[in-house]
Amino acid sequence: MYLTMNRFKVVPAEAQAFEGMWRGRDSHLKQVPGFVSFAMMKGPERADHILYASHTVWKDQASFKAWTT
């Protein structure tokens, strides 16, 4: 298994649009060889931003690298 992560700092006024973009995106990941799962998590809220983290799980590092090239 190979896990990748991204973090996003989103200003509070844009949080709803950010979440909507991720929910409504046209993703083809389920058809990519080696892809296992995707998750978006909402983290701590601060006065100037909300922290989000996404992670994808892949069968192995080679599958992830093949997708990125």
Side-chain angles (χ1 to χ4, degrees):
M1 175 177 21
Y2 188 72
L3 176 71
T4 64
M5 295 191 81
N6 287 301
R7 290 170 37 134
F8 307 91
K9 287 183 176 180
V10 178
V11 294
E14 298 299 325
Q16 187 174 11
F18 178 80
E19 291 179 19
M21 179 204 56
W22 279 99
R23 271 192 226 94
R25 75 192 189 291
D26 184 20
S27 177
H28 70 282
L29 282 175
K30 291 180 181 178
Q31 288 77 41
V32 176
F35 173 77
V36 176
S37 65
F38 170 86
M40 174 65 74
M41 296 163 283
K42 185 176 181 179
E45 296 186 26
R46 304 285 187 254
D48 64 336
H49 72 272
I50 300 170
L51 186 63
Y52 290 84
S54 70
H55 75 257
T56 53
V57 178
W58 297 85
K59 176 183 163 192
D60 50 34
Q61 185 178 15
S63 297
F64 171 73
K65 287 192 174 216
W67 174 69
T68 63
T69 56

